[in-house]
Amino acid sequence: MKGIILVGGFGTRLRPLTTNTPKPVIPIVNKPFLVYQIELLKMYGVNEIILATGHLSNTIKKILGTGESFGVKIIYSLENQPLGTGGAVKLASRHLDGQGAFILNGDVLTDINLDKLYNFHKEKKAQVTISLVPVADPTKFGLVETNENNQVRAFVEKPGPNEITTNMINAGAYYFENEVFDMIPSGVNYSLERGLYPMLLEKKIPFYAYNSNDYWLDIGTPKKYLEANKDVLEDKVNIPALIDMKKSGSVFIGDHAQISKKVRMLSMAAVGEKTIVQPGATITDHSVVGNHCIIEEGAQILGSIILDNSFIGKNSKIVNTIIGQNCKVMPYTFIEGGLLKVIGDGAYIPEYSII
Ligand code: GTP
């Protein structure tokens, strides 16, 4: 079985974290996000994965390579200019050898049962099956109306408040029969949501919706990104071997991390590979510290994420903040994120700063 993952978007809502690192490989508990999707597909027998890339494609390639280390084959489909979700699927479909395929948006953390989706698709004799999940506020998503037979009736992309008739939204996981790829135009920017799906409805092509109650989260905003890290730490996502760090009580410790005995790690926290944590430091409240970081003595990290290769100086305090890669937070700094603050890659925060 083959699958396509759409990974060519700009990830604008997650900037500045996505300025240099594409959203699909931004780490969640120190693992590139796409690894979660690869593991999910693998669980359901999909071992050939076509990544529909564009923006920062080389970074994705460098991190995931041929897929061999994950036990799958990864094929890269490269767009010279963004083709939109539909155009990207069309280009990637050249690698499917005439088969149908699962398609995933490259920014949803989910443990959706793909066997159930596929069986539902076959039972309904659908050409396209879209998965739906319930959300509290559907205004930021693609809203999908269905009839009593689960057939899709209307597709409203990012509805206004008076267009809301259901709380079921597009979960970004689909199965397409091979014939569907022929209905998508080649070489032009084309949207699945605004182009293909309305066309399927108009032409009365069998288009069904599979309702999922599995774990689902769109990681596209800083708040959701933080939530994704928390949910993985709490083991809410049912994909095997998500965290390969050693677990000790409620904390996770990466290989060759050097953690002083006088460090307080509480309430679920993780420290990545080769990270040094000096005496008197505190890491708590679902904080995740990346690989190759240095946390100096007395520093406090609360409810925060520190990405790889960053330095947190002596007696600094970081609360509700995401700190990008290669940052230097000098000693005695206080960063209070309020609802949530994001500091981009490579930032230098001088000593005694209060932010
Ligand atoms: P925002 O800019 O923050 O909205 O993020 P995004 O660029 O990821 O956009 P969006 O959430 O609408 O995209 C849904 C999925 O489709 C993501 O996994 C994107 O990577 C992917 N995607 C969007 N546009 C394209 C495109 O032109 N080409 C490819 N290959 N993928 C795309």
Side-chain angles (χ1 to χ4, degrees):
M1 186 87 90
K2 299 192 187 198
I4 296 173
I5 312 180
L6 293 169
V7 296
F10 287 94
T12 49
R13 289 166 297 152
L14 252 186
R15 280 181 191 154
L17 296 175
T18 47
T19 307
N20 305 310
T21 308
K23 180 166 63 173
V25 287
I26 200 147
I28 307 268
V29 190
N30 298 341
K31 236 182 208 182
F33 171 66
L34 271 179
V35 174
Y36 295 80
Q37 292 201 324
I38 292 169
E39 291 294 335
L40 174 79
L41 288 170
K42 217 170 76 179
M43 241 167 98
Y44 291 100
V46 180
N47 43 30
E48 205 166 312
I49 298 170
I50 301 135
L51 296 184
T53 65
H55 178 61
L56 297 174
S57 63
N58 280 337
T59 315
I60 298 181
K61 232 180 205 172
K62 220 154 88 192
I63 292 174
L64 299 176
T66 60
E68 200 182 338
S69 51
F70 309 106
V72 295
K73 180 176 175 191
I74 295 180
I75 296 163
Y76 294 87
S77 167
L78 174 65
E79 290 147 54
N80 295 323
Q81 61 200 43
L83 290 176
T85 47
V89 165
K90 174 73 175 186
L91 190 72
S93 70
R94 291 179 304 166
H95 301 283
L96 293 174
D97 307 323
Q99 299 173 34
F102 286 109
I103 298 167
L104 299 179
N105 277 0
D107 57 358
V108 290
L109 178 62
T110 178
D111 55 16
I112 183 169
N113 187 320
L114 295 178
D115 275 348
K116 285 191 181 166
L117 188 156
Y118 182 75
N119 292 339
F120 170 91
H121 173 86
K122 289 293 173 191
E123 215 171 84
K124 297 288 185 187
K125 298 190 171 45
Q127 283 290 313
V128 169
T129 294
I130 180 171
S131 58
L132 307 185
V133 283
V135 290
D137 174 15
T139 52
K140 294 181 183 69
F141 300 94
L143 188 148
V144 182
E145 289 174 17
T146 53
N147 67 13
E148 63 292 343
N149 193 26
N150 295 94
Q151 206 157 5
V152 178
R153 288 165 52 106
F155 205 94
V156 190
E157 189 58 14
K158 308 204 168 109
N162 50 2
E163 288 177 290
I164 296 170
T165 49
T166 168
N167 68 339
M168 298 304 281
I169 60 137
N170 175 2
Y174 322 105
Y175 190 87
F176 281 22
E177 287 300 327
N178 174 46
E179 292 74 18
V180 177
F181 301 111
D182 295 333
M183 302 175 201
I184 304 176
S186 303
V188 289
N189 192 298
Y190 187 77
S191 160
L192 292 177
E193 299 80 3
R194 294 182 181 82
L196 180 74
Y197 299 150
M199 194 253 278
L200 295 178
L201 295 178
E202 201 181 297
K203 295 199 168 161
K204 302 202 175 351
I205 289 163
F207 181 17
Y208 282 83
Y210 167 77
N211 293 333
S212 160
N213 281 315
D214 301 308
Y215 177 91
W216 185 88
L217 185 74
D218 170 353
I219 63 151
T221 64
K223 194 165 161 272
K224 298 287 179 180
Y225 172 66
L226 191 74
E227 198 177 325
N229 278 272
K230 189 172 169 186
D231 287 350
V232 169
L233 285 174
E234 285 187 349
D235 204 16
K236 286 190 182 165
V237 192
N238 187 21
I239 305 174
L242 279 191
I243 302 182
D244 43 20
M245 290 181 265
K246 278 189 270 340
K247 192 167 187 199
S248 159
S250 71
V251 303
F252 297 92
I253 297 172
D255 286 348
H256 309 293
Q258 294 174 42
I259 305 201
S260 155
K261 285 208 172 71
K262 292 183 182 147
V263 165
R264 280 163 27 104
M265 281 182 73
L266 310 161
S267 309
M268 317 269 338
V271 166
E273 274 173 41
K274 297 192 179 163
T275 281
I276 298 168
V277 188
Q278 295 183 349
T282 300
I283 302 173
T284 184
D285 296 350
H286 297 90
S287 289
V288 177
V289 178
N291 302 325
H292 306 276
C293 292
I294 297 173
I295 311 296
E296 283 200 324
E297 55 188 273
Q300 297 177 59
I301 319 263
L302 286 83
S304 295
I305 295 177
I306 315 291
L307 293 178
D308 293 354
N309 301 310
S310 284
F311 169 89
I312 308 296
K314 183 174 167 176
N315 290 335
S316 285
K317 185 170 179 183
I318 319 277
V319 185
N320 282 351
T321 300
I322 302 170
I323 304 240
Q325 300 179 36
N326 304 307
C327 288
K328 272 202 159 73
V329 176
M330 302 311 282
Y332 303 101
T333 287
F334 180 35
I335 305 179
E336 161 57 83
L339 287 179
L340 183 61
K341 196 169 259 125
V342 182
I343 309 267
D345 292 353
Y348 178 88
I349 315 272
E351 267 183 303
Y352 294 103
S353 299
I354 299 177
I355 297 177

